[in-house]
Amino acid sequence: MQINRLSSGTEVIDSLLNGGIEHGAITNGYGPPGSGKTNLTLLFTLSGLKEGKVGYIDTENGFSTERFFQIGGTKENLKNILYQNPSSFKEQIKVMHKLKDLDLKLIIVDSMVSLYRLEINKENFTEINKALAKQLAFLSFLAKEKDIPVMITNQVYSVNSDEIELSGRDVVKYWSKCLIELKKVDDNRRLAILRKHRSLPEGKKVEIEITEKGIEKAKFRIF
Ligand SMILES: Nc1ncnc2c1ncn2[C@@H]1O[C@H](COP(=O)(O)OP(=O)(O)OP(=O)(O)O)[C@@H](O)[C@H]1O
Ligand SMILES: [Mg+2]
């Protein structure tokens, strides 16, 4: 059976994903701060808006309307974004439930784990990790039920993370059917690498640049 895909509207990202992110599954864009995760979600948002409404859960105040307009979004578009801005991990699941009965063509969660990180500690980690798994299971259910793509992001740091977070990381990886790693090469050049996919080889990569208009294939440079 052919799996529907949502285009990024950007040739280089679509070439990495064989057309775009898959309907019915969670795609996860991860990388360090400034690697381009939010930019990627904005590209897919713009593309999803061509089909209908988009649910956008922003846990980090990362959604910049200025940036959205730069890449081609309009004020009219904004009316079709169901923007949610939860301020606690508990509220995050509540806003996800709000999206359940809406006719959406795409759901974004940028980022999946920032509020989780704020709340997890040595006492509550079993419970919080369970709650994280529940949220991901719910997103996966929404993706399947609505037959739409769900895109989540998570920030990774180069320093060793706390051990209690590691099990959470595995949970996110397990529920994500596609993993895209974003890596900074220099000021605006990045690598986007497929780390997991149901039908494409792991390790496939493209070199990209974040530009005024969005994301483009990196230009060849001599030095
Ligand atoms: N108009 C623009 N032209 C070129 N680069 C831009 C432009 N607007 C933003 N950027 C670049 O985009 C990058 C930020 O990307 P983005 O916000 O997607 O990162 P992120 O991975 O979401 O980071 P964080 O983890 O902090 O949320 C910065 O390097 C910034 O300079
Ligand atoms: Mg971001």
Side-chain angles (χ1 to χ4, degrees), residues 47-112:
S47 179
L49 286 165
K50 293 194 178 115
E51 316 281 325
K53 291 190 163 63
V54 173
Y56 197 107
I57 301 176
D58 180 7
T59 68
E60 303 182 330
N61 291 318
F63 189 101
S64 153
T65 46
E66 194 175 327
R67 185 66 183 138
F68 183 67
F69 295 150
Q70 280 177 2
I71 66 168
T74 63
K75 277 191 176 161
E76 204 56 37
N77 281 152
L78 290 178
K79 292 182 191 154
N80 285 318
I81 300 178
L82 286 122
Y83 179 83
Q84 303 286 334
N85 192 205
S87 53
S88 70
F89 193 52
K90 263 202 180 116
E91 212 189 316
Q92 185 167 308
I93 186 76
K94 275 194 195 147
V95 301
M96 280 177 193
H97 279 279
K98 271 197 204 168
L99 305 180
K100 186 171 172 267
D101 298 318
L102 302 175
D103 181 17
L104 301 172
K105 301 301 178 198
L106 168 70
I107 293 172
I108 303 272
V109 187
D110 183 28
S111 95
M112 190 65 206

